[in-house]
Amino acid sequence: MTFNFIRRVAATTNDRPSSRLQKTSEQKCGRVVFPAIIVAVTLMVQTLVLPRTYASDRPNVLIVLTDDQGWGDVGVHGNSIIETPAIDQLANQSARMEHFYVSPVCAPTRAALLTGRYPERSGVIGVTGRREVMRSEETTMAERFKAAGYVTGCFGKWHNGAQMPLHPNGQGFDEFFGFCGGHFNLYDDPVLERNGKPVSTQGYITDLLTDQAIEFVKANHKQPFFCYVPFNAPHGPFQVDRKLFDKYNDGSISEKTAAVYAMVENIDTNLARLLTTLDEHELSENTIVIFLTDNGPNGKRFNGGMRGAKGSVHEGGCRVPCFIRWPAKVSPKSIDQIAAHIDLLPTLADWCELPADKATLDGRSLTTLIESGNDPALAGRHLITLRTGPRFKTSNQWPGRFAVRNLRYRLVSEKPGMVELYDMGKDPGQKQNVADKYPDLADRLKQAALDYYSEIQPSVEPNRPVPISGARPTMIPSVDAKLTGNPGFADEIEWAHSWVDRWFDRDDLVTFSLDVRQAGRYSIQVHYATAAKNAEVIAKIANSELHGNLKRVANKSVIRPDLDSKATPRRMLDFSVQTIGVCELESGMTELQLSLAESVDRMVELGGVTLTRCEIPEPKQFHLFLLAGQSNMAGRGKVIPTDRYPDDRILMLDQQNRWVPAVDPLHFDKSVAGVGLGREFARVYAAAHPDVTVGLIPCAAGGSPIKSWVPGGYHDQTKSHPYDDAMIRVQIAQQDGVVKGILWHQGESDSKSGAAELYRDRLREVFARFRKQVGTETPILIGGLATANKEKWNDARKQVDQAHRELANELEHAAFVESSGLTLKSDNTHFDRESLLEFGRRYAEALPKK
């Protein structure tokens, strides 16, 4: 049986949403496996006593979860405005769970879905402030699938912890593409992440996530796979194609609702693409497809007359669509018995033969219910919903807001000590409280909730420190900090993408609670913006005190786009990144405390901190490369978030002569320093030498002529002594490693009469002096001048170019690196970012083999 979706928008290559990923070097690498993941998976497999073997007869699983889409946001549920043909057709081919319940907000639903347990058991009681973090000790659905031989992928919004081992890669997913926070700011051309590394993209976010899920299915169609696609739409901000928005924005509904409906229609188009991919690979018959949403609608709109919306413990906040299709075993039907997010794991465990100790689960297998349409064993169950935490007047005796749902009744408490009971069969809109009419029933249901709360309360109260695993850089957003003094959160918002502002005074403190899982040498970076001239940050951690003078960076926020003109404007701010020091950390609990050395006249705004383990290996395993020359070696390419991500196997000797994880800009010759060729060269080299760490020694000085590269030479533009400064840094670096190469790019300043004639001999002398310090057989790589306008070169430039080529040919262990085909920026002098990355790869390929 196949399921071909006839769409208004055909699912062909030409008709699919236009989106693509930029081809960065990070995206070209395959699956990344980190040591911490290997350990976690090994322990998990030993615990479950099931080897990872590939069983082709097992069904594949595709779960699509949308964000803030309510029960009424599909056509099949009676919404006469929205168009969702793919969702509607899927519903008609599925077991339709007519009374399916989730948590009132995002993160708890996701934790419950992944663990088969009520979210509070895993520590998830909210959406921010680390109350959204699922404990790493939980055994997730992905870990169970992986142990059973499945390839696992997650594409979308995670929202259950960002740092390893809380990250999807640490919770059982081989592949992750998306974001880990609770929401996102920009849906067009977003900066997402792949397996922890930033990725710049082009396209609309839902299209991009679908693209990657489709690629995952295509790549793994011959083995069993578990593909989890948690879309972030139609969660705000309300951004979608304008034409699609205009289709719904006809004045009959609010702009917000029009945007939501447009976003859902886009989801529908992408669901069709996913299902068509299954058809094309003949996977539909034996693939379990589950479509559901994570809570009630994010606003007042059609929801079947139910009371409540997102955040509410009433029916409208928790009842959502759930359609389960498996043509090989499940016939389409409508099922009225209650079921919930916690039931999907035990159900899939039965169908897919997953290891699962069901005694530890709150969920119940729905296999009998789904296959036959009825299961008497589930008729007497009840489902518990909590909205606990500091915002909900929680006490030791009362869990804040809660609800208990059985087959017929819903008990609700929105105030301590008070409950309401509704007969959902007779009163689906919850208008008549019948608690006085059925006091015994009300007491029994209330006691079930209180007993559960008493059971889990100790596990949800303790502080949740940020784990520092060392497996990859650990970014900690400011919203995870405790603030003391004047600082607050921008616009009084304390969730994803907000930041600390109003940080002026020396007595102000920003404190992060940490759990160091792996001892070692760590660098500390701050993500910040400030117009202050004298901002010095002090970082106290363990027994270390680090000081860093922050460079001035304009802190101009912008309003994020939103099609809902009545929405409260939300600001965005781009942050610079600066390393303030390195320290040794022992395993265990500690705090990172940031303060200002002196009060400042312009506030410091803090986006977060990043800790990266950066061990210095034995000298033989620490391969060093000198980066010397002018501005194209220093780099003038545009810096994007990918370039700010630390490379723990690529270190750089920073301006303070400390070995820190490499980030762009590597150089500090001028304030305009940007992306250069050095880090891409190092990536290629590191990939070819997996047992070494690469150390880069940035020494280029923009605009420096060859005459300044002599002992005592001075360069006025950069107020530096290029050669002397380079030699000092090389000598410092050699105390820790071995210089394996000299990368040179220079000559523009000497491409003039009177200098070009002397250039060749002077450059030969520079290389001789370098080699005297680092070794006579040290490879030298000489990059060619830009050739875009070669036909217009003057005689002097030709002479300099010829000098490069001749020296590369004459000197032993030297090579010339062609620049043909590379693109210059509008200044017609400097290579653009992509060309510099390509140049770096060419340098690596040209490195003489010794």
Side-chain angles (χ1 to χ4, degrees):
M1 183 184 301
T2 59
F3 296 86
N4 296 311
F5 285 79
I6 302 174
R7 311 270 303 129
R8 280 186 305 98
V9 180
T12 65
T13 302
N14 292 333
D15 291 334
R16 288 177 181 175
S18 174
S19 61
R20 66 178 179 86
L21 300 181
Q22 292 181 352
K23 299 297 184 181
T24 64
S25 61
E26 291 85 350
Q27 293 165 279
K28 292 181 178 179
C29 63
R31 181 175 303 158
V32 180
V33 179
F34 295 91
I37 299 176
I38 296 173
V39 172
V41 170
T42 301
L43 292 173
M44 185 269 294
V45 170
Q46 292 173 349
T47 301
L48 299 174
V49 198
L50 182 68
R52 180 168 179 166
T53 57
Y54 294 101
S56 59
D57 58 329
R58 290 184 180 177
N60 305 302
V61 176
L62 169 64
I63 298 180
V64 177
L65 175 73
T66 65
D67 194 356
D68 287 358
Q69 181 180 358
W71 182 91
D73 294 332
V74 293
V76 74
H77 283 165
N79 189 322
S80 61
I81 300 175
I82 199 168
E83 293 188 23
T84 54
I87 296 174
D88 297 349
Q89 187 168 354
L90 177 66
N92 292 329
Q93 296 166 344
S94 300
R96 291 171 53 174
M97 312 305 294
E98 302 291 0
H99 293 91
F100 190 87
Y101 297 93
V102 294
S103 301
V105 288
C106 314
T109 288
R110 293 155 200 272
L113 167 69
L114 289 166
T115 65
R117 289 152 54 86
Y118 284 125
E120 296 81 16
R121 294 197 193 278
S122 61
V124 180
I125 61 170
V127 297
T128 190
R130 302 199 65 73
R131 292 184 292 275
E132 78 281 15
V133 172
M134 179 171 61
R135 294 190 185 88
S136 61
E137 295 82 5
E138 292 290 321
T139 303
T140 68
M141 188 183 291
E143 289 172 305
R144 297 179 192 277
F145 272 110
K146 190 167 184 174
Y150 282 68
V151 180
T152 58
C154 175
F155 307 94
K157 166 180 166 176
W158 176 245
H159 203 188
N160 281 143
Q163 302 87 10
M164 290 291 285
L166 309 170
H167 187 275
N169 292 142
Q171 294 283 29
F173 285 101
D174 297 315
E175 291 292 328
F176 174 66
F177 179 84
F179 63 96
C180 288
H183 74 269
F184 214 73
N185 273 336
L186 292 176
Y187 289 8
D188 288 307
D189 303 338
V191 178
L192 299 171
E193 67 152 282
R194 183 191 303 281
N195 298 328
K197 293 187 177 182
V199 178
S200 296
T201 68
Q202 290 182 353
Y204 184 68
I205 190 166
T206 308
D207 304 336
L208 293 164
L209 298 174
T210 305
D211 289 345
Q212 295 304 298
I214 286 173
E215 290 304 312
F216 175 80
V217 170
K218 288 180 176 179
N220 297 288
H221 71 277
K222 293 185 178 180
Q223 56 187 311
F225 60 77
F226 168 50
C227 184
Y228 175 44
V229 188
F231 290 128
N232 61 299
H235 192 295
F238 302 104
Q239 302 168 10
V240 71
D241 179 78
R242 186 78 198 199
K243 290 182 180 179
L244 201 53
F245 170 69
D246 289 343
K247 169 184 172 179
Y248 290 100
N249 189 34
D250 59 2
S252 63
I253 54 178
S254 69
E255 289 178 326
K256 177 178 177 180
T257 300
V260 167
Y261 287 176
M263 295 165 85
V264 171
E265 183 171 331
N266 173 263
I267 289 170
D268 190 81
T269 299
N270 282 293
L271 176 65
R273 294 175 58 209
L274 283 166
L275 298 177
T276 298
T277 301
L278 297 180
D279 283 347
E280 291 171 347
H281 290 83
E282 299 181 347
L283 298 172
S284 297
E285 183 75 12
N286 200 33
T287 297
I288 301 168
V289 177
I290 302 176
F291 175 89
L292 74 158
T293 74
D294 66 351
N295 46 245
N298 53 352
K300 294 182 179 181
R301 55 183 183 267
F302 173 77
N303 202 28
M306 291 185 286
R307 180 177 174 182
K310 175 183 178 178
S312 170
V313 294
H314 289 287
E315 191 86 351
C318 305
R319 184 183 170 197
V320 300
C322 181
F323 311 132
I324 302 174
R325 189 189 83 177
W326 185 14
K329 195 162 186 175
V330 175
S331 60
K333 61 177 67 69
S334 180
I335 297 173
D336 288 326
Q337 285 186 246
I338 61 172
H341 46 17
I342 54 177
D343 299 329
L344 294 180
L345 189 151
T347 303
L348 292 172
D350 279 352
W351 277 339
C352 303
E353 301 177 23
L354 307 182
D357 180 4
K358 293 184 180 179
T360 65
L361 306 181
D362 293 303
R364 305 279 294 276
S365 175
L366 305 176
T367 55
T368 300
L369 179 63
I370 292 171
E371 291 169 24
S372 66
N374 181 56
D375 186 354
L378 299 178
R381 70 183 306 206
H382 59 254
L383 301 170
I384 298 173
T385 301
L386 297 188
R387 281 286 271 151
T388 189
R391 292 180 55 211
F392 302 102
K393 298 183 179 179
T394 305
S395 67
N396 291 334
Q397 294 78 33
W398 206 261
R401 300 176 188 173
F402 66 85
V404 184
R405 181 65 152 91
N406 66 15
L407 187 60
R408 180 173 173 178
Y409 293 93
R410 172 172 285 273
L411 180 89
V412 177
S413 175
E414 295 184 288
K415 296 180 180 179
M418 299 180 63
V419 297
E420 300 171 356
L421 183 68
Y422 299 96
D423 185 337
M424 302 305 297
K426 296 180 179 179
D427 181 21
Q430 294 178 242
K431 297 178 180 179
Q432 184 64 43
N433 178 12
V434 296
D436 291 340
K437 186 176 181 180
Y438 304 108
D440 292 342
L441 175 61
D443 285 343
R444 287 199 306 272
L445 295 179
K446 178 185 72 173
Q447 195 59 47
L450 296 181
D451 288 346
Y452 169 66
Y453 177 61
S454 177
E455 180 184 348
I456 57 92
Q457 185 187 7
S459 69
V460 300
E461 292 301 325
N463 180 36
R464 304 296 302 279
V466 177
I468 309 296
S469 70
R472 61 175 63 164
T474 302
M475 196 282 174
I476 313 171
S478 284
V479 291
D480 287 353
K482 176 184 177 182
L483 307 182
T484 305
N486 297 313
F489 292 106
D491 303 324
E492 307 304 323
I493 296 172
E494 299 183 28
W495 54 84
H497 301 290
S498 188
W499 63 91
V500 170
D501 65 1
R502 304 189 297 280
W503 189 13
F504 288 96
D505 299 333
R506 62 180 299 173
D507 294 330
D508 296 337
L509 298 177
V510 181
T511 305
F512 298 91
S513 178
L514 310 180
D515 177 10
V516 180
R517 305 283 182 92
Q518 186 176 9
R521 182 178 183 270
Y522 285 84
S523 71
I524 298 177
Q525 293 175 302
V526 293
H527 303 248
Y528 76 99
T530 185
K533 298 179 181 179
N534 60 333
E536 180 184 352
V537 170
I538 301 174
K540 294 182 180 179
I541 182 170
N543 296 320
S544 298
E545 181 172 304
L546 312 176
H547 292 247
N549 292 308
L550 300 182
K551 299 175 183 177
R552 294 179 65 182
V553 178
N555 47 354
K556 295 181 179 178
S557 61
V558 297
I559 302 297
R560 73 180 184 188
D562 198 315
L563 291 168
D564 178 12
S565 63
K566 295 183 179 180
T568 301
R570 177 80 182 270
R571 294 187 298 139
M572 304 182 297
L573 181 63
D574 190 28
F575 298 99
S576 183
V577 179
Q578 185 171 323
T579 301
I580 59 173
V582 293
C583 59
E584 293 286 339
L585 297 180
E586 299 290 335
S587 298
M589 300 294 179
T590 188
E591 285 188 342
L592 168 61
Q593 186 182 90
L594 302 181
S595 62
L596 297 174
E598 298 292 341
S599 297
V600 294
D601 58 343
R602 303 288 184 88
M603 71 177 172
V604 176
E605 298 183 90
L606 183 72
V609 296
T610 295
L611 278 73
T612 306
R613 194 164 182 262
C614 52
E615 298 297 333
I616 300 175
E618 293 295 320
K620 289 184 178 181
Q621 303 307 117
F622 196 18
H623 293 189
L624 311 180
F625 293 90
L626 172 63
L627 310 179
Q630 289 182 266
S631 54
N632 271 316
M633 178 60 73
R636 298 295 187 257
K638 180 182 178 181
V639 178
I640 64 174
T642 301
D643 306 315
R644 298 183 182 127
Y645 184 82
D647 278 303
D648 53 357
R649 274 192 60 222
I650 305 173
L651 305 183
M652 58 181 282
L653 196 67
D654 72 0
Q655 194 169 9
Q656 287 72 43
N657 295 321
R658 305 168 298 194
W659 287 114
V660 300
V663 295
D664 280 310
L666 298 175
H667 285 79
F668 34 82
D669 60 321
K670 295 182 178 180
S671 61
V672 292
V675 172
L677 62 87
R679 197 156 75 122
E680 186 66 9
F681 164 86
R683 288 193 191 100
V684 177
Y685 186 88
H689 300 79
D691 59 338
V692 307
T693 296
V694 179
L696 300 176
I697 313 169
C699 294
S704 57
I706 195 69
K707 66 181 181 181
S708 67
W709 286 88
V710 298
Y714 180 73
H715 182 229
D716 184 65
Q717 284 186 28
T718 56
K719 303 294 188 292
S720 67
H721 299 81
Y723 175 79
D724 292 340
D725 294 344
M727 284 299 96
I728 291 172
R729 288 169 58 75
V730 167
Q731 291 166 15
I732 292 171
Q734 285 181 300
Q735 297 175 25
D736 297 309
V738 179
V739 176
K740 293 290 185 177
I742 300 165
L743 280 61
W744 178 267
H745 192 281
Q746 199 257 9
E748 290 92 342
S749 294
D750 291 275
S751 294
K752 57 187 178 182
S753 179
E757 295 83 357
L758 304 174
Y759 183 77
R760 184 177 182 278
D761 290 339
R762 287 178 171 177
L763 183 58
R764 177 189 283 273
E765 292 172 0
V766 171
F767 290 154
R769 285 191 292 268
F770 280 157
R771 278 183 163 174
K772 184 177 181 181
Q773 175 64 39
V774 301
T776 58
E777 297 185 355
T778 303
I780 297 174
L781 303 175
I782 308 170
L785 303 179
T787 60
N789 57 350
K790 196 168 185 178
E791 68 280 358
K792 298 181 180 180
W793 281 8
N794 59 26
D795 289 340
R797 191 174 179 90
K798 292 177 182 177
Q799 196 168 0
V800 169
D801 178 72
Q802 188 63 27
H804 289 154
R805 295 175 185 273
E806 289 177 356
L807 285 176
N809 185 55
E810 293 173 11
L811 297 175
E812 293 186 4
H813 313 296
F816 181 78
V817 186
E818 289 284 356
S819 65
S820 57
L822 301 183
T823 304
L824 291 176
K825 298 167 63 176
S826 59
D827 61 13
N828 208 36
T829 300
H830 301 110
F831 296 110
D832 65 18
R833 178 182 180 277
E834 291 302 318
S835 292
L836 284 164
L837 296 179
E838 171 58 25
F839 215 4
R841 292 188 282 271
R842 293 182 186 182
Y843 268 77
E845 292 167 0
L847 185 68
K849 306 296 189 293
K850 293 182 64 177

